[in-house]
């Protein structure tokens, strides 16, 4: 029996950085996915290892189940009850990760492997299995790749446990019920904590449930989009330091409290108006065009304020200058300082124009994706028989 789970990445449509200071922000699922497949060996396989295959990186990791028993004797739990991970457990996991050969330029994988081992052993103990991971999401670009991994992994593991009720017949991708999604989201959040320390929970929530979320001061409100939204996502391939960028905005707040407060209030209004536009009913295509024009203006306003906060970058400005020549609206998404840029693609925009924009952007060494925004969340499928 093999289960496959897929979870989408996310983009921030409005409100990044300002949300740290109490403003509203809007995040949305994007139809670029991370896939995790999980298979338990049959007795005939004579396999006694836990294996993790990272297909996109051509990297394989494995741990003999005997080693797992030796290092972590207290394994497995009721998957419906998420355990607290202890210092001893994390030390044991660190020792298991340390034994693996990880390329020097991929040291960021250490936290991901730790999250994998903790979630897997917490749900399935020391069973042998093979987990394979592939993704359409670039790593470390602010599109929620780690959250999508944790969501898809948690879903695959829970699907082959006794804690969820599912239809195992092969019938393509299927969505989970709310109670199952809630459980997946809780496990994924624990994985995100191992990877990031103190995540907001927004990335894994968007990846789990899909569509859109408006969040303010820790409060999450699910939003249902009533209009199709398509974005050109440009990965500048410029690495950014999220903590440093957030800290620099906070320094500006200390130096210019009144001015920065005004900017945060403006961003709050932009996020709320954007959410209202997306949720309002559509009666005809003319109204869609009008909505797209308003969204484009809000995107440009938000980007202008992000520039004032000091979180833009020459690569982001190059992208915006390129897309503006075609009268398209763009903004950074996430931390800024590089990373990715969103460009709204109106419904009536010709494919020829899109091709020209992409060609120009890729001359700068950027990577472009076209993706729908606000779509489905986590889905699973089954292959083989019980």
């Amino acid at each position: 029996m093999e289960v496959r789970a897929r979870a989408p990445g996310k983009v921030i449509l409005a409100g990044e950085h300002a949300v740290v200071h109490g403003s509203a922000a809007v995040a949305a699922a994007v139809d670029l996915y991370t896939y995790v497949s999980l298979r338990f060996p049959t007795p005939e396989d004579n396999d006694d290892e836990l294996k993790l295959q990272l297909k996109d990186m051509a990297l394989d990791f494995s741990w003999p189940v005997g080693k797992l028993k030796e290092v972590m004797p207290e394994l497995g739990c009721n998957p419906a009850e998420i355990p607290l991970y202890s210092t001893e457990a994390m030390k044991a996991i660190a020792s298991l990760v340390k034994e693996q050969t990880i390329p020097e330029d991929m040291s960021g994988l250490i936290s991901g492997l730790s999250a994998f081992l903790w979630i897997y052993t917490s749900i399935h103990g020391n069973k042998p299995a093979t987990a394979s991971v592939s993704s359409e999401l670039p790593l470390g670009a602010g599109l929620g790749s780690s959250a999508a991994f944790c969501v898809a992994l948690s879903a695959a593991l829970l699907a082959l446990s006794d804690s969820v009720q599912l239809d195992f017949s092969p019938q393509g991708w299927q969505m989970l019920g709310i109670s199952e999604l809630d459980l997946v989201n809780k496990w994924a959040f624990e994985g995100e904590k191992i990877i990031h320390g103190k995540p907001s929970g927004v990335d894994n929530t968007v990846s789990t449930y899909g569509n859109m979320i408006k969040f303010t001061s820790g409060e999450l409100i699910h939003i249902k989009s009533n209009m199709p939204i398509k974005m050109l996502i440009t990965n500048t391939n410029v690495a950014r330091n999220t903590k440093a960028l957030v800290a620099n905005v906070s320094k500006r707040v200390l130096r210019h409290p009144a001015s920065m407060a005004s900017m945060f209030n403006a961003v709050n209004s932009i996020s709320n108006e954007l959410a209202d536009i997306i949720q309002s009913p559509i009666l005809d295509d003319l109204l869609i065009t009008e909505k797209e024009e308003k969204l484009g203006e809000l995107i440009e306003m938000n980007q202008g304020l992000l520039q004032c906060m000091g979180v833009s970058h020459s690569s982001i400005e190059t992208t915006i200058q390129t897309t503006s020549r075609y009268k398209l609206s763009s903004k950074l998404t996430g931390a800024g300082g590089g990373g990715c840029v969103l460009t709204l693609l109106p419904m009536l925009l010709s494919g020829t124009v899109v091709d020209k924009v992409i060609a120009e952007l890729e001359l700068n060494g950027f990577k472009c994706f076209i993706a729908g925004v606000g779509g489905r969340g986590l889905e699973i499928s089954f292959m083989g028989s019980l």
Side-chain angles (χ1 to χ4, degrees):
M1 182 68 181
E2 181 175 342
V3 63
R4 197 174 188 218
R6 70 176 186 181
K10 72 90 179 61
V11 291
I12 304 293
L13 295 179
E16 48 270 272
H17 286 287
V19 71
V20 177
H21 301 274
S23 299
V26 179
V30 57
D31 59 6
L32 298 170
Y33 295 89
T34 291
Y35 300 83
V36 174
S37 65
L38 179 70
R39 181 179 65 83
F40 293 130
T42 63
E44 293 76 24
D45 291 332
N46 194 26
D47 191 347
D48 62 351
E49 289 188 321
L50 172 60
K51 299 174 182 176
L52 175 63
Q53 301 170 340
L54 303 182
K55 297 291 191 180
D56 303 318
M57 302 176 187
L59 292 175
D60 292 342
F61 304 98
S62 62
W63 298 268
V65 294
K67 183 69 174 179
L68 295 179
K69 291 177 185 177
E70 174 189 332
V71 176
M72 301 177 66
E74 299 292 329
L75 291 173
C77 72
N78 175 4
E81 298 177 6
I82 299 172
L84 295 173
Y85 48 86
S86 64
T87 302
E88 291 74 21
M90 295 316 294
K91 283 182 178 177
I93 285 173
S95 70
L96 291 168
V97 172
K98 192 174 181 180
E99 293 175 354
Q100 302 297 309
T101 302
I102 301 173
E104 286 186 16
D105 60 344
M106 295 183 182
S107 59
L109 289 176
I110 292 173
S111 59
L113 291 179
S114 299
F116 166 77
L117 283 171
W118 185 80
I119 297 174
Y120 182 90
T121 55
S122 294
I123 295 175
H124 284 292
N126 49 38
K127 278 186 182 179
T130 298
S132 297
V133 182
S134 61
S135 186
E136 298 162 349
L137 293 163
L139 299 180
L143 298 183
S145 58
S146 68
F149 166 69
C150 289
V151 170
L153 173 65
S154 299
L157 294 174
L158 290 168
L160 293 185
S161 73
D162 297 326
S163 58
V164 295
Q165 300 299 316
L166 298 170
D167 180 2
F168 290 100
S169 60
Q171 55 177 340
W173 293 108
Q174 59 177 295
M175 300 177 69
L176 303 183
I178 291 298
S179 61
E180 286 82 11
L181 290 174
D182 290 344
L183 183 58
V184 168
N185 196 37
K186 289 175 183 176
W187 277 102
F189 187 43
E190 295 305 311
E192 279 280 87
K193 287 180 185 177
I194 293 172
I195 294 172
H196 294 296
K198 293 183 179 179
S200 66
V202 169
D203 286 16
N204 52 277
T205 301
V206 172
S207 186
T208 300
Y209 300 97
N211 225 302
M212 301 185 186
I213 286 175
K214 183 170 76 171
F215 53 106
T216 313
S217 302
E219 180 187 7
L220 303 180
I221 300 172
H222 291 271
I223 296 173
K224 182 164 179 57
S225 173
N226 280 320
M227 63 180 291
I229 300 176
K230 187 171 285 188
M231 292 280 185
L232 173 65
I233 302 174
T234 302
N235 183 5
T236 64
N237 294 314
V238 175
R240 73 273 187 279
N241 185 325
T242 300
K243 288 182 181 177
L245 289 159
V246 171
N248 287 337
V249 173
S250 295
K251 288 177 183 176
R252 290 200 178 196
V253 172
L254 293 175
R255 289 196 297 268
H256 313 284
S259 297
M260 292 297 285
S262 296
M263 280 194 274
F264 297 149
N265 286 335
V267 172
N268 186 63
S269 297
I270 288 170
S271 294
N272 286 322
E273 185 179 348
L274 184 142
D276 290 342
I277 291 171
I278 287 171
Q279 292 181 96
S280 61
I282 292 177
L283 302 177
D284 54 41
D285 287 351
L286 187 61
L287 189 55
I288 291 180
T289 300
E290 183 181 320
K291 280 188 167 193
E292 288 174 339
E293 289 173 356
K294 288 182 177 180
L295 287 179
E297 290 168 349
L298 292 172
I299 286 170
E300 291 173 3
M301 290 179 204
N302 197 173
Q303 176 59 27
L305 291 166
L306 288 164
Q307 288 172 325
C308 293
M309 293 178 205
V311 296
S312 192
H313 184 271
S314 58
S315 62
I316 294 172
E317 297 305 315
T318 296
T319 302
I320 291 170
Q321 289 166 10
T322 301
T323 59
S324 66
R325 286 199 292 271
Y326 293 89
K327 296 182 170 51
L328 299 175
S329 301
S330 302
K331 67 175 283 290
L332 66 84
T333 182
C340 289
V341 178
L342 300 180
T343 301
L344 180 64
L345 298 179
M347 184 178 67
L348 299 179
L349 184 67
S350 76
T352 303
V353 171
V354 175
D355 291 342
K356 287 182 179 179
V357 174
I358 291 174
E360 278 197 46
L361 290 170
E362 292 189 339
L363 284 175
N364 292 290
F366 303 154
K367 176 71 174 175
C368 296
F369 311 86
I370 295 175
V373 172
R376 295 160 78 99
L378 168 70
E379 296 177 307
I380 61 171
S381 66
F382 293 96
M383 291 166 276
S385 57
L386 285 170

